Amino acid sequence: MLPGLAYFIIFKYVPMGGIIVAFQDFSAFAGIRGSEWVGLTHFKNMFTDSEFYTVFKNTLLISLYKLIWGFPGPIILALMLNEVRHMLYKRGVQTLVYLPHFLSWVIIGGILVNVLSPATGIVNQLLGMIGLEPIFFLGSQEWFRTVLVVSDIWKEAGWGAIIYLAALASIDPQIYEAAVVDGASKWKQLIHVTLPSLIGTIVILFVLRLGSVLDVGFEQIFVLYNPLVYNVADVIETYVYRTGITQGQFSFTTAVGLFKSVISLILVVLANKAARKLGQDSLW
């Protein structure tokens, strides 16, 4: 337990002291102690910056799409794997769906660039075979968010299914045997036994997911986006990187990061409160 506590204290709580920079006109030469205090100036600048509203809207939309389409993915995959009775086949499929999690977005970005290439990509070749025009997926404002969501599901669904498979393994087999005796079909066993047993796990993971709802994946977007799709792909994390690191506006981007953290905290508290009111398991 001590190594875990040490990890969170050193890498999570101690760096939180850096939020002071959001209330200063930070200078790397003067340091935190010597920089001038400016109060809420950077927050006022943030709310009057039209570009901020664009990246905030993009962040919310991409997060919402990933939540709607990505969150059920591991649940469905775990339910499907749970029904496979041939163990060798089941282990093989599990290994295949886990593998993408261990690949970096740099590698996956290279795969996507080749697979989705409008000239030589296999997807566009298949579209050409059925008489459709090629699509520049990574340069299209209509398709880029779809590519983000689908590639994220492909990469993480298998890894996310592990927790649900563990929850499914904890269900007492006698409950299924009793359901079979009562004449319940596979579908009714799923509706009346399996899903109710998973509700607690689903609620907890959903609350935790809301805590990072504004973390849409800097690495994924940074690897895949380009100037053609900035209007629909630029999110808070890439905006903070571009403004804070490349332009040296450390205080302003710290204010943006603090705003994002406060919104995430509010979402977690509200979701946890809703879970308790509905009689489900909650974080506290």
Side-chain angles (χ1 to χ4, degrees):
M1 188 171 177
L2 283 178
L5 283 174
Y7 170 81
F8 281 102
I9 291 172
I10 295 172
F11 295 106
K12 300 295 181 183
Y13 287 97
V14 172
M16 286 172 67
I19 62 175
I20 294 173
V21 173
F23 304 96
Q24 295 180 323
D25 190 9
F26 179 73
S27 166
F29 299 101
I32 291 178
R33 291 185 177 180
S35 297
E36 180 186 357
W37 291 91
V38 294
L40 299 176
T41 300
H42 296 301
F43 293 94
K44 292 176 184 174
N45 293 338
M46 179 179 71
F47 289 118
T48 56
D49 183 4
S50 59
E51 189 178 4
F52 171 75
Y53 288 100
T54 300
V55 298
F56 188 57
K57 175 188 169 187
N58 290 338
T59 304
L60 286 179
L61 284 176
I62 293 172
S63 294
L64 185 64
Y65 295 153
K66 285 189 174 182
L67 194 65
I68 292 174
W69 298 106
F71 187 76
I75 302 171
I76 296 170
L77 182 60
L79 292 173
M80 293 172 66
L81 286 172
N82 191 52
E83 294 301 321
V84 177
R85 293 291 173 257
H86 193 289
M87 292 308 293
L88 185 61
Y89 176 73
K90 183 177 180 179
R91 299 298 180 200
V93 173
Q94 280 182 279
T95 304
L96 286 176
V97 296
Y98 293 165
L99 277 179
H101 171 78
F102 297 101
L103 300 177
S104 74
W105 276 113
V106 176
I107 296 174
I108 292 180
I111 294 172
L112 290 175
V113 167
N114 285 289
V115 170
L116 300 177
S117 167
T120 58
I122 187 171
V123 174
N124 276 305
Q125 287 183 359
L126 291 174
L127 291 177
M129 291 171 65
I130 57 176
L132 297 177
E133 292 293 323
I135 300 172
F136 186 12
F137 289 97
L138 296 178
S140 166
Q141 295 190 7
E142 294 177 353
W143 284 97
F144 188 79
R145 288 172 180 161
T146 303
V147 173
L148 288 179
V149 174
V150 172
S151 59
D152 186 63
I153 294 173
W154 174 69
K155 187 175 186 296
E156 300 298 343
W159 186 254
I162 291 176
I163 295 176
Y164 295 108
L165 284 171
L168 288 169
S170 66
I171 300 175
D172 189 347
Q174 292 184 352
I175 301 177
Y176 286 107
E177 292 171 4
V180 171
V181 171
D182 289 341
S185 63
K186 281 288 183 184
W187 176 252
K188 288 187 175 179
Q189 289 177 39
L190 173 70
I191 299 298
H192 299 291
V193 178
T194 307
L195 284 179
S197 302
L198 283 180
I199 286 296
T201 305
I202 292 172
V203 170
I204 292 292
L205 292 180
F206 184 75
V207 172
L208 291 173
R209 179 70 177 267
L210 284 181
S212 58
V213 72
L214 296 183
D215 295 324
V216 293
F218 168 78
E219 190 179 358
Q220 179 193 19
I221 296 175
F222 188 72
V223 166
L224 294 176
Y225 82 161
N226 57 74
L228 293 174
V229 293
Y230 273 175
N231 285 341
V232 297
D234 202 15
V235 295
I236 289 178
E237 290 156 304
T238 52
Y239 176 67
V240 166
Y241 166 77
R242 193 174 61 255
T243 309
I245 303 299
T246 64
Q247 299 179 15
Q249 298 186 41
F250 302 112
S251 295
F252 176 73
T253 50
T254 303
V256 174
L258 181 57
F259 169 77
K260 188 184 81 169
S261 300
V262 170
I263 295 295
S264 298
L265 178 62
I266 292 172
L267 288 174
V268 169
V269 172
L270 291 178
N272 194 66
K273 191 173 182 179
R276 278 193 301 172
K277 279 191 175 292
L278 294 172
Q280 300 298 330
D281 293 334
S282 58
L283 292 176
W284 64 85

